[in-house]
């Protein structure tokens, strides 16, 4: 769920532009705790939601279609090749959860509940504008929630096989993506040629490369951004030309900037686990407010979807797309050894002092996999590990802050001994 | 010079004073937590200092820890309970590898490395299940003091199974058990077992001995045995287990005085 975000509060319809209501002030601020002056290329994303909303409305006016996605396994390339814009609909707001809980269990992942609550309240303008949703069988909670979502929204479901290294599973995934291609052609009355796919692959590869370049700036001793600023540099809709220009410019303009004055005192955090959708950045902010710097994010809103590109020269572009996406190291896969491989490399290259794993309440696959991640951190990487299991409500912030402080004390004590 | 440690916990405040040169404890005290936490903590500090024959001017550094540490403006340094308990236990029981601390509203498990540094820790989540507060609620429901409650547990023949993890639900469950004619001693032992089982679950499968038990709950008769049964290992109670955190804070204060 990279670039995965929805307005952090329900957006009420009925404003000046009926197709794109204004975003509440709370969505406009970048948040976080950057201590240096606002940087223009960072600030560009402050009003990302409202700007992206206006973009979507204008594109719809021109006849372009909008396709909602809810997971990083859904290949944006195929949607772009169909002449449509992929928009991420993952919910990050606590405020839509009560509405969702009328239908679905309270004891469920907040991301699933928030996403569904937006539909109940008709509060996500992107969801309301979407011509089609492309869902996927990843975790059980999402899969069954999609059935309810499909009552209001046209939907195609991709069946994601989960044996990451099984050749039959790969074949099945390729067939699923071929069906998606035909389904988009049928529903939108378009033809998706291999040339269209190749063009979309190049475009998405460019976006991934640009975002990777920004993330790599965080390897520095004194990174030019806070982790929160980096997280904010994203868009709900991928490959908007203006955004790509800013990503490109920022990599150069940010060099030499110091995000925090006390970078050498900060604990360098490698954050892993569940995605951090727009509006649900509380833990990331807390990690940085308590004296850390989140230098690397190995999750779907961070580097996980950016680690690999699609092969631009493959004989069959659709198979190349399938291969890239099937290799995403999400905890729904079994075994999910690629995630550990990725964490080894990230911890080394970003010089992490500790690993913090964020688990959204009842996210079974990440929660169970955390046993392996803890072992990896403590025994192999030899850095302290902290698991934080929470939801979107701030009620446990003080208790989590205590654990984070203790983690940082442990890191500092180890460094000084 | 004297280093002072104040552990402002959720139920009680603890103070320990140590000499910076010898690290010897010169005074200590405990008082109940009140609404004006900072004032109570300072009063306790003054009392302990007076009894030890130490003037406030002799106290060169104060380290505050515990739930209320951020309210204690007089403390120059704030350190988490995790680091303080590790330090306190290492002083009184060097070589400890696992610390189980059960306090008023939280329980935690620390793993120490061979030099006494915190290697890893786990804490209870969000609610007071498996903590001293849980015991207090149940003891009060059964009209006993915490001490009597512990003694009562020692007389159990067949400890009741307490399945609720939530304090409120557990209380309801206990009312049901009492109504069904369960013996009070069996219920008391069942509650102790349930708390010990939660601590053991927190530890997971890897617990290294020696295991040391700290926190106010370690003072309650029967709790150490319940923990030993849950872990299947021997468990030692730290000397003055309630003050381990404050002792650690005082030692860290002393270190800062050089």
């Amino acid at each position: 769920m990279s670039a995965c975000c929805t307005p952090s509060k329900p957006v009420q319809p009925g404003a000046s532009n009926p197709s794109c209501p204004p975003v509440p002030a709370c969505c406009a601020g970048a948040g976080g705790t950057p201590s240096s002056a606002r940087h223009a290329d960072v600030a560009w994303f402050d009003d990302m939601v409202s700007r992206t909303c206006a973009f979507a409305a204008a594109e719809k006016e021109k006849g372009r279609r909008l396709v909602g996605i809810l997971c990083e396994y859904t290949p944006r390339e195929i949607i772009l090749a169909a002449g449509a814009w992929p928009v991420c609909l993952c919910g990050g707001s606590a405020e839509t959860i009560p509405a969702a809980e009328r239908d679905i269990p309270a004891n469920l992942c907040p991301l699933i509940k928030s996403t569904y609550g937006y539909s109940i309240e008709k509060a996500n303008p992107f969801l309301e504008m979407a011509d089609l949703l492309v869902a996927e069988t990843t975790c059980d909670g999402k899969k069954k929630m999609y059935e309810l979502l499909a009552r209001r929204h046209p939907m195609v479901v991709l069946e994601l096989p989960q044996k990451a290294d099984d050749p039959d599973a790969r074949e099945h995934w390729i067939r699923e993506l071929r069906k998606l291609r035909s389904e988009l052609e049928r529903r939108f009355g378009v033809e998706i040629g291999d040339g269209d796919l190749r063009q979309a692959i190049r475009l998405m590869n460019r976006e991934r490369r640009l975002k990777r370049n920004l993330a790599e700036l965080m390897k520095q001793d004194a990174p030019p951004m806070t982790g929160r600023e980096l997280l904010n540099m994203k868009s709900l809709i991928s490959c908007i030309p203006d955004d790509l220009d800013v990503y490109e410019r920022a990599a150069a303009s940010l060099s030499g900037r110091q995000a925090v004055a006390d970078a050498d005192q900060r604990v360098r955090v490698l954050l892993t686990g569940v995605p951090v959708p727009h509006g649900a950045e509380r833990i990331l902010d807390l990690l940085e407010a308590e004296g850390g710097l989140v230098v690397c994010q190995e999750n779907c809103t961070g580097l996980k979807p950016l680690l690999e590109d699609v092969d631009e020269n493959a004989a069959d572009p659709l198979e190349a797309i399938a291969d890239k996406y099937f290799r995403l190291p999400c905890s729904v896969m079994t075994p999910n050894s690629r995630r550990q491989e990725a964490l080894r490399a990230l911890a080394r290259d970003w010089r992490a002092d500790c690993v913090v794993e964020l688990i959204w309440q009842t996210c079974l696959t990440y929660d169970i996999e955390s046993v392996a991640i803890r072992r990896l951190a403590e025994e192999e990487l030899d850095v302290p590990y902290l698991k934080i299991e929470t939801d979107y409500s701030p009620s446990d912030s003080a208790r989590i802050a205590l654990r984070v402080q203790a983690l940082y004390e442990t890191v500092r004590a180890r460094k000084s001994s | 010079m004297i280093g002072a440690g104040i552990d402002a916990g959720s139920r009680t405040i603890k103070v320990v004073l140590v000499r910076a040169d010898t690290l010897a404890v010169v005074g200590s005290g405990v008082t109940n937590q009140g609404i004006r936490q900072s004032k109570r903590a300072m009063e306790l500090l003054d009392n302990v200092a007076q009894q030890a024959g130490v003037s406030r001017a002799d106290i060169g550094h104060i380290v505050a820890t515990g739930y209320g540490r951020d309210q204690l403006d007089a403390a120059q340094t704030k350190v988490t309970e995790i680091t303080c308990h590790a330090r306190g236990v290492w002083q009184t029981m060097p070589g400890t590898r696992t610390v189980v601390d059960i306090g008023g509203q939280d329980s935690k498990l620390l793993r120490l490395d061979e030099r006494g540094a915190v290697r890893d820790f786990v804490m209870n989540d969000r609610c007071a299940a498996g903590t001293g507060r849980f015991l207090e609620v149940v003891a009060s429901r059964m009209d006993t003091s915490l001490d009597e409650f512990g003694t009562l547990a020692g007389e159990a023949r067949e400890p009741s199974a307490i399945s609720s993890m939530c304090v409120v639900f557990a209380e309801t469950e206990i009312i049901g058990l009492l109504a069904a004619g369960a013996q009070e001693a069996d219920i008391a032992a069942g509650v102790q077992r349930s708390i010990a089982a939660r601590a053991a679950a927190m530890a997971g499968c890897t617990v290294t001995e020696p295991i040391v038990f700290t926190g106010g709950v370690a003072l309650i008769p029967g709790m150490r045995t319940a923990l030993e049964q849950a872990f299947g290992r021997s468990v030692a109670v730290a000397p003055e287990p309630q003050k381990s955190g404050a002792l650690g804070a005082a030692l860290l204060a002393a270190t800062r005085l050089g």
Side-chain angles (χ1 to χ4, degrees):
Chain A
M1 279 154 269
S2 147
C4 221
C5 32
T6 43
S8 66
K9 294 213 170 171
V11 178
Q12 297 307 319
S16 54
N17 178 350
S19 64
C20 188
V23 172
C26 61
C27 296
T33 51
S35 60
S36 61
R38 301 289 293 144
H39 181 282
D41 294 332
V42 174
W44 164 258
F45 294 92
D46 286 359
D47 59 351
M48 180 275 291
V49 173
S50 54
R51 188 163 34 76
T52 307
C53 192
F55 174 85
E59 291 294 297
K60 290 267 293 185
E61 283 286 308
K62 289 190 227 161
R64 292 284 291 267
R65 288 178 170 89
L66 200 62
V67 174
I69 64 172
L70 303 114
C71 179
E72 279 301 326
Y73 278 108
T74 303
R76 291 182 175 85
E77 285 85 346
I78 302 176
I79 294 164
L80 288 164
W85 288 106
V87 60
C88 176
L89 300 175
C90 295
S93 167
E95 300 199 10
T96 60
I97 288 179
E101 288 178 353
R102 281 185 244 140
D103 285 351
I104 58 180
N107 191 25
L108 190 65
C109 153
L111 197 157
I112 296 175
K113 289 192 288 188
S114 176
T115 304
Y116 182 64
Y118 270 111
S119 171
I120 298 281
E121 303 221 311
K122 302 184 175 63
N124 179 349
F126 298 98
L127 180 59
E128 300 307 310
M129 274 191 276
D131 298 280
L132 178 70
L133 307 188
V134 180
E136 76 309 313
T137 60
T138 42
C139 69
D140 287 353
K142 287 173 82 181
K143 186 173 71 190
K144 299 307 284 185
M145 181 274 281
Y146 293 150
E147 293 174 13
L148 303 180
L149 209 55
R151 298 186 300 191
R152 276 196 68 228
H153 311 276
M155 182 182 288
V156 174
V157 179
L158 301 173
E159 187 186 28
L160 178 75
Q162 303 187 343
K163 281 168 77 175
D165 300 315
D166 186 327
D168 292 342
R170 172 181 177 270
E171 287 304 315
H172 182 74
W173 180 236
I174 292 169
R175 281 197 297 275
E176 285 293 298
L177 297 191
R178 289 200 201 289
K179 282 194 275 183
L180 173 63
R181 179 186 192 166
S182 323
E183 196 58 30
L184 291 174
E185 288 178 328
R186 188 183 66 79
R187 286 179 186 250
F188 295 165
V190 295
E191 194 181 319
I192 304 174
D194 279 1
D196 301 318
L197 286 174
R198 289 187 199 285
Q199 202 183 342
I201 288 169
R202 284 193 295 273
L203 188 59
M204 278 300 299
N205 277 353
R206 178 174 176 229
E207 180 172 278
R208 279 188 283 263
R209 190 175 61 246
L210 294 173
K211 295 185 79 171
R212 218 160 42 222
N213 289 345
L214 289 175
E216 283 178 356
L217 296 174
M218 304 299 282
K219 290 178 179 172
Q220 297 168 10
D221 286 335
M225 288 164 280
T226 62
R228 178 62 196 277
E229 285 177 325
L230 176 64
L231 178 63
N232 284 351
M233 296 181 75
K234 68 180 169 198
S235 174
L236 292 168
I237 295 180
S238 292
C239 300
I240 295 178
D242 286 351
D243 289 338
L244 295 181
D245 289 346
V246 179
Y247 293 141
E248 180 131 43
R249 205 168 56 220
S253 70
L254 280 165
S255 82
R257 182 186 188 231
Q258 280 205 16
V260 289
D262 58 345
D264 55 333
Q265 302 295 313
R266 296 281 183 134
V267 172
R268 297 173 69 90
V269 177
L270 167 53
L271 180 67
T272 184
V274 295
V276 181
H278 188 71
E281 298 93 346
R282 174 176 63 106
I283 300 300
L284 201 151
D285 287 344
L286 193 151
L287 287 167
E288 300 203 313
E290 294 295 342
L293 202 57
V294 179
V295 292
C296 187
Q297 300 172 48
E298 186 280 325
N299 55 29
C300 274
T301 41
L303 276 163
K304 197 189 299 261
L306 310 177
L307 292 171
E308 295 184 8
D309 288 328
V310 179
D311 181 359
E312 295 180 10
N313 304 310
D316 182 339
L318 192 118
E319 282 194 22
I321 291 170
D323 281 333
K324 178 257 175 320
Y325 283 89
F326 199 50
R327 288 172 58 83
L328 274 176
C330 174
S331 60
V332 297
M333 288 291 174
T334 187
N336 189 28
S337 49
R338 286 198 188 93
R339 179 171 174 221
Q340 298 190 40
E341 287 164 26
L343 282 169
R344 279 183 198 104
L346 299 177
R348 181 192 63 222
D349 295 348
W350 272 262
R351 288 170 298 128
D353 293 322
C354 60
V355 173
V356 174
E357 178 150 37
L358 177 63
I359 310 273
W360 294 131
Q361 164 198 307
T362 77
C363 178
L364 291 181
T365 55
Y366 272 108
D367 201 358
I368 296 171
E369 198 166 289
S370 72
V371 176
I373 304 304
R374 174 187 290 275
R375 193 183 304 127
L376 175 80
E378 292 180 346
E379 291 173 18
E380 206 181 309
L381 304 175
D382 197 27
V383 292
Y385 166 95
L386 179 68
K387 177 168 97 172
I388 299 172
E389 187 184 358
T390 186
D391 60 14
Y392 292 173
S393 110
S395 63
D396 57 355
S397 290
R399 299 185 65 73
I400 293 172
L402 168 69
R403 284 165 220 222
V404 169
Q405 288 160 11
L407 173 76
Y408 293 171
E409 285 169 5
T410 302
V411 167
R412 293 196 169 110
R414 274 213 215 179
K415 275 185 159 177
S416 67
S417 69
Chain B
M1 289 296 264
I2 299 291
I6 306 176
D7 180 357
S10 64
R11 307 296 295 163
T12 56
I13 302 170
K14 286 77 68 174
V15 165
V16 171
L17 303 179
V18 301
R19 282 182 58 136
D21 49 359
T22 62
L23 300 187
V25 174
V26 296
S28 70
V30 180
T31 187
N32 279 331
Q33 182 60 273
I35 293 170
R36 297 187 59 198
Q37 179 163 250
S38 175
K39 185 164 168 280
R40 290 198 87 127
M42 287 307 126
E43 282 167 4
L44 178 64
L45 179 66
D46 286 339
N47 288 343
V48 171
Q50 199 182 5
Q51 279 170 26
V54 170
S55 77
R56 274 298 284 273
D58 292 335
I59 300 175
H61 198 95
I62 303 176
V63 170
T65 188
Y67 176 69
R69 66 187 177 284
D70 289 328
Q71 270 72 55
L72 302 183
D73 297 332
Q76 287 89 345
T77 311
K78 316 282 162 72
V79 181
T80 64
E81 300 89 292
I82 313 287
T83 301
C84 289
H85 272 273
R87 183 68 188 89
V89 169
W90 195 256
Q91 190 71 12
T92 51
M93 305 186 84
T96 298
R97 297 300 298 276
T98 303
V99 179
V100 182
D101 172 67
I102 307 184
Q105 73 172 23
D106 64 37
S107 51
K108 49 189 164 286
L109 186 132
L110 322 181
R111 292 187 181 87
L112 308 186
D113 67 16
E114 57 286 343
R115 292 167 306 153
V118 177
R119 163 111 193 128
D120 176 25
F121 63 91
V122 208
M123 292 180 73
N124 63 323
D125 285 302
R126 289 197 176 208
C127 82
T131 67
R133 184 66 194 143
F134 186 97
L135 279 171
E136 278 184 348
V137 167
V138 179
S140 119
R141 165 57 59 194
M142 291 170 45
D143 277 335
T144 61
S145 70
L146 276 177
D147 245 15
E148 291 161 356
F149 185 77
T151 312
L152 192 61
E155 297 159 10
R157 294 215 193 100
E158 201 181 330
S160 307
I162 311 288
S163 56
S164 296
M165 294 208 184
C166 161
V167 176
V168 178
F169 290 166
E171 193 179 2
T172 312
E173 194 174 340
I174 284 154
I175 295 168
L177 284 168
L178 287 169
Q183 296 300 306
E184 291 187 8
D186 290 344
I187 295 174
V191 167
Q192 290 200 342
R193 272 194 182 190
S194 126
I195 289 175
R198 282 184 67 82
M202 233 173 12
C205 51
T206 50
V207 180
T208 311
E209 288 177 279
I211 306 169
V212 171
F213 188 13
T214 67
V217 171
L219 294 167
I220 297 169
M223 275 309 301
R224 183 183 68 88
T225 318
L227 265 189
E228 285 190 329
Q229 281 166 359
F231 281 112
R233 311 277 180 92
S234 64
V235 174
V237 174
E240 299 197 79
Q242 200 177 12
K243 293 178 191 158
S244 292
L247 172 63
L251 292 164
L252 292 170
T255 309
R256 289 180 181 256
L257 293 169

